[in-house]
Amino acid sequence: MILQSRWKALVRRWRLGRRATVALPLVWLTLFFLLPFAIVLKISLAEATIAVPPYGPLVEWADSSLHVALNLGNYLFLLSDSLYVAAYWGSIKIAFVATLCCLLLGYPMAYAMARAPARWQLLLLLLVMLPSWTSFLIRVYAWMGILSNSGLLNNLMLGLGMIDSPLRMMNTRFAVIVGIVYAYLPFMVLPLYAHLTRLDNSLLEAAQDLGARKVVAFLKVTLPLSMGGIVAGCMLVFIPAVGEFVIPELLGGPDTLMIGKILWEEFFLNRDWPVAAALAMVMLLLLLVPIVWFHRYQSRELAK
Amino acid sequence: MPRRSSFTTWMLGLGLLFLYLPMAVLVVYSFNSSRLVTVWAGFSTHWYVELFRDQQILSAVWMSLRIAFFAASMAVCLGTVAAFVMTRFGHFRGKTALSSMVTAPLVMPEVITGLSLLLLFVQMAELIGWPADRGMATIWIAHTTFCSAYVAVVVAARLREIDRSVEEAAMDLGSPPLKTFFSITLPVIAPALVAGWLLAFTLSLDDLVIASFVSGPGANTLPMVVFSSVRMGVSPKINALATLIILVVSLATLLAWLLMRRNEIKRRAMADG
């Protein structure tokens, strides 16, 4: 009898502990991750006013009745101004090209790393990671000195006689793409490397024993088996690149419209909080498919 | 397999060259005596002296280090609990919601995270009067939130690898879950916690966009000061700062590599002998 009740108390305590353990991250993330998005949604539907904070209330108690004013004007405004549409399209294009370049450069790198002798792998991994531990901002800044008209690259090419007059590379789309590839390359290499090291070599050997040429074996065995790494790497580069602010601000010019930069300006310079919120909501909507894709992949990895 | 210099090896070399050349340029030009970054005018440590005289940069460094320390510490607590819940608790209500929220900050564009957190803080200030002014506390909350996602992924990877039988044995012998966690699981995953802490620390030190959104006029972190000075144009002082950052990170990485290699050699020796 006594034993039974003690057992019950133990189970109850255990359940309570379990609940408390789940609650800690759940409450924190709900409060500081989920709730903020609800507020962004709310403010994107509000009207801009000249006040502190600069937006109007959604629900108002006036003339002894409740007014709920959902204002879709911010969204319509985004559609009507070609600047915003061009910025969304520009961001997606630049992020896509940069992701493709990262993949084309990163895949062979990861492949060579996975094939390197075991005692080299750790060193190579650290070498790829090291740049991403130094400041992101400073790495982007490094390219300002390299790409500018009187910069290192132009001086070098002029000195070698490859060009007659300096090429305009700074403040172009090219510079932004170089910056994104440079800054995000480690995020592409890491998941690819993780997948390629786990690859079962016997499958490849079997394919070659059965007479598949190297290229065919790669296309039919290695590539499909590393698909998870390709998806993860591409999402890790593409999604943040779409919303990138620092790189277009420092390396881009007036012709490089990117949505992260527009959002920043709308918020800090124009102080139009509702339009900035609407810009963020539409960006989130555009990224929903890749984010869900990445999340599916990641939660499968987490649950494994 | 014989080692040949194949296409992929060349690409690896090329990729590493691409990653390191711009940083090498920064280091070299930090010793340039000319104000013009692209003109070499002789060796000088002038910009380092200037850097250490810059009170604004020094106080921003101190601010960033404190925030990074507290954010990394809290992120390790939250991230570890989240990782433990995801890998050790079977199914429970809200698991999908939790796992979505744990991994989503990894890919969320920074401008969105920053904007949404600021709007939350503004709303909170209106409703409950806190935070009255944004600064260290709000940056700490913001950094903790996105850093714990990275910690969770690192720790979860380690939790999946380790042998669960010891944990189960302890539980069978009557050890309560909490005690089992602290006396068995925690020591085993300690290296992952250290790795997660360091990762969170560097991420917090590095963040510009989110900190810019959630900080008030008085609070400046190092990236914010660097950004405003870089936006004005290229400044040789920043080259000196970059060199110091690269130096610190390289030394830390070298140390980590030596430690890990020693461990590996020890492990191999134990496995052989």
Side-chain angles (χ1 to χ4, degrees):
Chain A
M1 212 28 206
I2 296 170
L3 206 68
Q4 207 179 7
S5 67
R6 270 194 63 186
W7 175 247
K8 266 187 190 162
L10 204 70
V11 166
R12 210 175 303 132
R13 242 180 63 194
W14 190 66
R15 282 215 185 116
L16 201 71
R18 209 178 125 103
R19 254 183 226 158
T21 314
V22 175
L24 181 69
L26 197 63
V27 167
W28 180 287
L29 286 169
T30 308
L31 198 59
F32 296 118
F33 194 73
L34 199 61
L35 186 63
F37 287 117
I39 293 172
V40 175
L41 179 65
K42 188 198 112 174
I43 289 171
S44 74
L45 294 168
E47 217 161 318
T49 56
I50 299 169
V52 178
Y55 55 87
L58 219 55
V59 183
E60 216 167 2
W61 186 257
D63 308 328
S64 67
S65 67
L66 195 67
H67 289 267
V68 179
L70 288 185
N71 176 19
L72 288 172
N74 299 316
Y75 290 93
L76 293 174
F77 177 65
L78 294 188
L79 275 178
S80 67
D81 195 330
S82 62
L83 172 85
Y84 300 110
V85 180
Y88 281 119
W89 183 229
S91 302
I92 288 172
K93 265 197 303 196
I94 285 177
F96 180 78
V97 174
T99 308
L100 199 66
C101 293
C102 271
L103 183 64
L104 291 179
L105 179 58
Y107 199 101
M109 285 176 76
Y111 191 86
M113 282 164 67
R115 284 302 160 96
R119 63 202 166 85
W120 281 78
Q121 289 197 7
L122 181 65
L123 185 69
L124 288 171
L125 195 64
L126 285 175
L127 277 177
V128 169
M129 288 290 288
L130 188 121
S132 62
W133 291 324
T134 65
S135 168
F136 175 83
L137 189 55
I138 279 171
R139 279 183 299 140
V140 176
Y141 157 79
W143 284 96
M144 291 171 72
I146 295 173
L147 294 176
S148 69
N149 279 353
S150 57
L152 219 61
L153 201 58
N154 266 321
N155 280 348
L156 191 74
M157 288 198 291
L158 282 170
L160 291 174
M162 285 162 73
I163 48 172
D164 297 325
S165 56
L167 289 176
R168 186 173 163 264
M169 289 179 287
M170 251 312 262
N171 304 328
T172 61
R173 243 176 247 157
F174 168 74
V176 175
I177 289 169
V178 169
I180 295 177
V181 173
Y182 183 67
Y184 289 99
L185 185 62
F187 293 103
M188 179 63 88
V189 176
L190 281 186
L192 282 173
Y193 168 78
H195 269 79
L196 287 169
T197 42
R198 265 188 266 152
L199 208 76
D200 190 353
N201 258 327
S202 58
L203 289 172
L204 212 60
E205 279 160 21
Q208 272 170 357
D209 283 348
L210 292 171
R213 273 182 302 140
K214 269 196 137 168
V215 180
V216 178
F218 173 78
L219 287 177
K220 295 227 157 155
V221 181
T222 313
L223 201 61
L225 283 174
S226 60
M227 217 47 185
I230 294 176
V231 170
C234 287
M235 294 303 111
L236 277 177
V237 176
F238 180 78
I239 301 170
V242 168
E244 188 52 54
F245 161 73
V246 178
I247 296 172
E249 173 71 21
L250 294 183
L251 301 177
D255 61 330
T256 34
L257 284 175
M258 284 189 78
I259 203 65
K261 199 179 150 193
I262 301 279
L263 190 153
W264 180 284
E265 281 163 5
E266 210 60 68
F267 188 84
F268 284 110
L269 302 179
N270 289 352
R271 291 193 59 77
D272 193 337
W273 290 21
V275 162
L279 277 168
M281 279 331 280
V282 174
M283 194 201 300
L284 205 57
L285 217 63
L286 285 175
L287 291 177
L288 207 59
V289 173
I291 285 176
V292 169
W293 207 7
F294 176 80
H295 166 67
R296 280 242 181 99
Y297 162 80
Q298 192 66 44
S299 56
R300 225 183 308 146
E301 294 277 294
L302 271 178
K304 229 187 248 170
Chain B
M1 217 194 278
R3 261 183 62 73
R4 293 165 287 130
S5 45
S6 59
F7 164 72
T8 53
T9 322
W10 274 104
M11 287 297 275
L12 180 61
L14 202 71
L16 288 175
L17 204 66
F18 171 66
L19 283 176
Y20 283 92
L21 223 47
M23 301 208 310
V25 169
L26 280 188
V27 174
V28 170
Y29 276 90
S30 74
F31 294 107
N32 188 1
S33 60
S34 161
R35 174 163 268 288
L36 291 162
V37 174
T38 49
V39 183
W40 182 261
F43 181 87
S44 140
T45 50
H46 172 64
W47 300 114
Y48 289 87
V49 179
E50 287 276 292
L51 179 71
F52 282 106
R53 281 210 194 114
D54 193 324
Q55 215 50 52
Q56 201 194 5
I57 286 186
L58 291 183
S59 68
V61 168
W62 177 230
M63 172 80 134
S64 280
L65 286 175
R66 272 183 303 167
I67 291 175
F69 176 83
F70 291 122
S73 305
M74 186 64 195
V76 165
C77 299
L78 266 178
T80 306
V81 173
F84 191 76
V85 165
M86 305 306 299
T87 52
R88 290 290 189 269
F89 288 20
H91 190 78
F92 58 89
R93 268 176 55 181
K95 183 166 181 171
T96 337
L98 183 64
S99 74
S100 313
M101 285 196 290
V102 167
T103 52
L106 289 180
V107 284
M108 201 50 72
E110 286 175 313
V111 281
I112 298 188
T113 314
L115 178 75
S116 64
L117 274 163
L118 172 65
L119 295 179
L120 171 83
F121 290 137
V122 169
Q123 196 86 23
M124 276 168 70
E126 244 181 287
L127 282 176
I128 58 171
W130 188 92
D133 51 349
R134 293 181 295 278
M136 242 184 97
T138 49
I139 303 176
W140 172 72
I141 291 176
H143 283 185
T144 301
T145 308
F146 84 86
C147 288
S148 52
Y150 288 86
V151 175
V153 170
V154 171
V155 174
R158 182 84 190 114
L159 277 171
R160 280 198 308 271
E161 274 173 21
I162 63 172
D163 190 1
R164 289 186 71 167
S165 58
V166 185
E167 280 171 44
E168 277 157 11
M171 302 267 258
D172 283 346
L173 292 171
S175 166
L178 205 62
K179 196 177 170 202
T180 312
F181 178 77
F182 278 108
S183 57
I184 304 216
T185 317
L186 207 57
V188 180
I189 60 168
L193 296 190
V194 174
W197 192 90
L198 287 172
L199 182 62
F201 187 79
T202 46
L203 283 168
S204 166
L205 269 188
D206 202 20
D207 165 65
L208 162 75
V209 174
I210 295 173
S212 299
F213 270 102
V214 300
S215 77
N220 274 334
T221 62
L222 183 64
M224 288 161 75
V225 173
V226 171
F227 182 64
S228 60
S229 100
V230 163
R231 224 181 348 188
M232 299 291 156
V234 182
S235 136
K237 233 190 289 181
I238 302 300
N239 288 344
L241 179 69
T243 305
L244 291 179
I245 293 176
I246 292 169
L247 185 74
V248 170
V249 172
S250 309
L251 284 179
T253 313
L254 188 71
L255 198 71
W257 179 63
L258 287 174
L259 280 175
M260 284 200 267
R261 206 181 58 160
R262 213 183 55 184
N263 276 350
E264 204 163 319
I265 290 169
K266 221 189 273 173
R267 208 166 53 205
R268 259 187 230 153
M270 282 200 358
D272 290 343

